[in-house]
Amino acid sequence: DAHRLVLASDLVPLPDLLAETTHQVEKIAVAKYVTLTLDTAQGAVRGDRVRLRQVLLILLDNALRFTPAGGTIRLGALVRGREVVVHVADSGAGIPPEHLAHVFERFYQVPGQPVDGHGNGLGLSIARELVEAQRGKITVSSPAGKGTYVQIVLPAAED
């Protein structure tokens, strides 16, 4: 809020970051009987590695909370021209269309979602702020009953 966040501008190879982050949450996924898969991971960005990991952990935490046992979560990154597109996709119940426009608002929680004692409606708003602070965009789509797909688009690192 105070606009005092100082971000590093380091070269962040996404294959390494995604592999480390996947490894970090792997045990939780196994304990919940959810398959966590690292898809193709390519590209690099100039950014703050710690804050990018924080964004991924927020997204993976949400995916783990809303994906039932036997479900899947996929994480990956692809280079698309001068951008890198990072995705987190899950096979959970998804987000009803009328709530999609609000998921990045502070304290917003989709009504009727299972309550597990976690969450305060801040995760996605924090993720959006951190992505935008690094010149990126974050979007969420959720076809009815087919899970949730979060996409982060960041400028690719210049060679």
Side-chain angles (χ1 to χ4, degrees):
D1 283 346
H3 302 288
R4 293 186 189 159
L5 181 63
V6 177
L7 296 172
S9 183
D10 299 321
L11 181 64
V12 181
L14 291 174
D16 297 342
L17 178 63
L18 271 57
E20 291 165 12
T21 307
T22 300
H23 181 72
Q24 191 173 348
V25 298
E26 216 166 26
K27 287 182 183 176
I28 298 167
V30 168
K32 295 187 79 149
Y33 302 100
V34 171
T35 302
L36 176 60
T37 303
L38 180 58
D39 290 343
T40 300
Q42 30 175 252
V45 298
R46 283 239 167 250
D48 189 309
R49 182 184 195 89
V50 171
R51 298 304 183 175
L52 290 171
R53 177 182 287 121
Q54 183 180 358
V55 169
L56 294 174
L57 289 173
I58 288 168
L59 300 178
L60 289 170
D61 177 64
N62 280 350
L64 284 165
R65 278 195 280 136
F66 298 112
T67 301
T72 60
I73 299 170
R74 295 182 354 264
L75 174 66
L78 295 171
V79 176
R80 184 177 69 191
R82 294 179 148 164
E83 301 173 325
V84 178
V85 180
V86 179
H87 70 266
V88 176
D90 68 57
S91 65
I95 302 167
E98 65 271 20
H99 297 285
L100 279 173
H102 304 286
V103 295
F104 291 111
E105 295 172 9
R106 285 181 174 199
F107 305 111
Y108 189 82
Q109 294 180 307
V110 176
Q113 293 290 339
V115 177
D116 62 1
H118 296 93
N120 52 21
L122 286 173
L124 288 177
S125 67
I126 291 169
R128 180 182 63 187
E129 293 294 326
L130 291 173
V131 168
E132 289 177 354
Q134 297 183 72
R135 301 176 301 130
K137 293 180 224 161
I138 183 170
T139 58
V140 176
S141 59
S142 189
K146 295 189 178 179
T148 301
Y149 184 85
V150 181
Q151 178 175 278
I152 300 166
V153 179
L154 295 161
E158 304 274 328
D159 290 334

